[in-house]
Amino acid sequence: MAKLPQPTQPPLRQATYKAHATDFVVNEILPLDFTGEGEHLWLHIEKLGMNTAYLAKLLSEWAEIPLRDVGYSGLKDRHALTTQWFSLRLPKKQLPESEFAPIDIGVNESLTILAQQWHNKKLNRGTHRANQFIITLRDIQFANTETTPSNKSDKDAVEQHLAYISTTGVPNYFGPQRFGRHGNNVREALALFARPVPENRPQPKKSKRKQAPREQNSMELSAARSLIFNEILAARVRDGSWNTGLTGEVFNLDGSGSIFASEVMDDTLQARLASGDIHPTAVLWGVGNDKVSGTAAAIENDIVQKSPLLSQLAAGLEKRDIKAQRRALRLPIEELSWEWQDADDELRLVLSFTLTTGSFATSVLSSLVQNLSSSSATS
């Protein structure tokens, strides 16, 4: 994928993350009061070297229940040390006779059950509020020097940048994992859009099911929308409006899914933007993108119309009747802290921060590092 612009020059020329799985720690933040009763057993699990879907499969086999009766909130990276909740529907509240200790896991894979609770509801997708990240950067090269010294001025520049983005936030780009290895998900989307659109099957009159994007193509559709969004955000970063707003803007209320439109930028909106109470948005492309207007709408349409690739993706999404949504252009960073470590003749920078669900840690790292590399095959 093309390199995306940043509002300020990153103070690190180069760094590596995920050199080891434990260099990338993700802890799911899911505030919940458990009932202590009900037919759903919730398990808090720490896993290393395996993805969420695979662990869900192992749990369904252990509990001898259908995979659909295993719930989880979000997908967590395989090449990381992560903690997250799973729920198992056990109508008779009968636990398996054996402990959950799969034997068919790899040498570099592990899992530990940290806690368990009974609850009266299944864990549904998107339930968790945020994720805490603890990320170790290695192979550090500073932007202002040819080598990798640990002198105070270089570190000061990094720390000033971190302090700055902790108050301003960073561009809310979709991370490279959204697009697959070498952008393959976008190519799959183009192949999908080249095929005829399947006809919707008529729903029975009594059916309460709602039409939704076809699950089997969700990865391709998501990649198409994400690429368009990233290009619009990149244009807004270049012109400096990604965090200031434009006429006709649609704003997102911080910490919620609520949005509202405003045709004119006034002092009140500017003050709310400056305080982080609201954020400008861009479209997740689809039909019904009618809330945005004025200059904001013109930029979105112009970006798509001038790119044959984006135009093709946009047309494919519209033909499949995907509904337009909005996503904040600015990503706030909560509880950002850092620590320098100098061990084994290697300088490391350990970052800790919290991001809302649906955002990407690579957005924070890309703001800090010009050339960010990963030892993970999927990043």
Side-chain angles (χ1 to χ4, degrees), residues 97-159:
E97 294 182 2
S98 62
E99 291 186 4
F100 180 53
I103 59 174
D104 56 342
I105 61 176
V107 176
N108 298 317
E109 300 173 344
S110 66
L111 55 88
T112 304
I113 296 179
L114 304 175
Q116 64 181 48
Q117 298 278 353
W118 286 102
H119 195 47
N120 60 359
K121 292 182 180 179
K122 178 183 178 180
L123 174 55
N124 295 314
R125 296 293 289 270
T127 300
H128 69 295
R129 182 190 70 84
N131 293 302
Q132 181 208 26
F133 296 88
I134 303 172
I135 300 174
T136 300
L137 297 179
R138 302 173 184 262
D139 305 322
I140 292 172
Q141 292 185 11
F142 295 94
N144 295 326
T145 54
E146 295 297 328
T147 56
T148 59
S150 58
N151 63 65
K152 191 173 186 301
S153 62
D154 285 323
K155 289 183 176 179
D156 283 347
V158 172
E159 293 183 5

Side-chain angles (χ1 to χ4, degrees), residues 27 82 99 114 262 353 366:
N27 296 314
T82 69
E99 291 186 4
L114 304 175
S262 179
F353 54 86
S366 296

Side-chain angles (χ1 to χ4, degrees), residues 3 5 33 50 63 101 107 173 183 202 207 217 220 254 264 276 283 296-297 306 312 331 353 357-358 363 379:
K3 194 171 181 64
D33 293 325
M50 64 179 68
V107 176
Y173 290 120
S207 174
N217 300 131
E220 294 88 346
D254 184 58
V264 180
V283 63
K306 286 186 175 180
Q312 192 172 351
L331 173 60
F353 54 86
T357 304
S363 294
S379 295

Side-chain angles (χ1 to χ4, degrees), residues 66-91:
L67 185 58
R68 65 175 179 273
D69 287 341
V70 178
Y72 52 86
S73 181
L75 298 173
K76 296 292 182 290
D77 206 317
R78 174 185 175 187
H79 299 275
L81 177 64
T82 69
T83 62
Q84 69 178 124
W85 285 94
F86 292 80
S87 71
L88 311 177
R89 182 174 178 266
L90 304 173

Side-chain angles (χ1 to χ4, degrees), residues 54-68:
Y54 180 65
L55 180 49
K57 176 176 177 292
L58 294 178
L59 288 168
S60 72
E61 293 172 350
W62 170 65
E64 298 182 346
I65 60 176
L67 185 58
R68 65 175 179 273

Side-chain angles (χ1 to χ4, degrees), residues 284-337:
L284 294 174
W285 200 272
V287 297
N289 184 29
D290 53 5
K291 292 182 175 62
V292 66
S293 61
T295 306
I299 288 179
E300 293 183 357
N301 292 324
D302 189 56
I303 291 296
V304 171
Q305 291 170 6
K306 286 186 175 180
S307 166
L309 171 59
L310 300 186
S311 295
Q312 192 172 351
L313 294 174
L317 290 164
E318 291 171 4
K319 285 182 180 178
R320 278 155 179 77
D321 200 33
I322 304 301
K323 300 296 186 290
Q325 296 173 294
R326 308 295 298 185
R327 174 180 169 91
L329 295 176
R330 179 167 58 183
L331 173 60
I333 308 171
E334 301 175 25
E335 301 175 347
L336 175 60
S337 63

Side-chain angles (χ1 to χ4, degrees), residues 137-274:
L137 297 179
R138 302 173 184 262
D139 305 322
I140 292 172
Q141 292 185 11
F142 295 94
N144 295 326
T145 54
E146 295 297 328
T147 56
T148 59
S150 58
N151 63 65
K152 191 173 186 301
S153 62
D154 285 323
K155 289 183 176 179
D156 283 347
V158 172
E159 293 183 5
Q160 288 172 10
H161 180 84
L162 290 171
Y164 177 71
I165 65 173
S166 70
T167 59
T168 64
V170 295
N172 193 20
Y173 290 120
F174 284 98
Q177 56 268 53
R178 175 57 58 93
F179 306 104
R181 183 191 288 269
H182 307 304
N184 190 57
N185 290 346
V186 174
R187 285 188 285 274
E188 291 293 331
L190 291 171
L192 170 67
F193 295 155
R195 299 195 291 268
V197 180
E199 293 184 7
N200 285 327
R201 296 178 181 178
Q203 295 290 320
K205 289 184 178 180
K206 295 183 179 180
S207 174
K208 295 182 180 179
R209 294 180 58 189
K210 296 181 180 179
Q211 290 292 329
R214 293 169 179 81
E215 186 65 27
Q216 65 266 32
N217 300 131
S218 61
M219 194 69 72
E220 294 88 346
L221 298 175
S222 180
R225 302 176 93 190
S226 300
L227 183 62
I228 295 172
F229 176 90
N230 274 6
E231 290 302 318
I232 294 171
L233 174 51
R236 298 284 298 262
V237 169
R238 292 188 188 99
D239 70 20
S241 67
W242 70 283
N243 61 352
T244 60
L246 297 168
T247 57
E249 193 78 73
V250 178
F251 295 99
N252 161 247
L253 184 62
D254 184 58
S256 76
S258 299
I259 59 173
F260 67 94
S262 179
E263 295 183 1
V264 180
M265 287 296 301
D266 57 25
D267 292 343
T268 300
L269 288 175
Q270 292 289 3
R272 295 182 69 185
L273 278 169

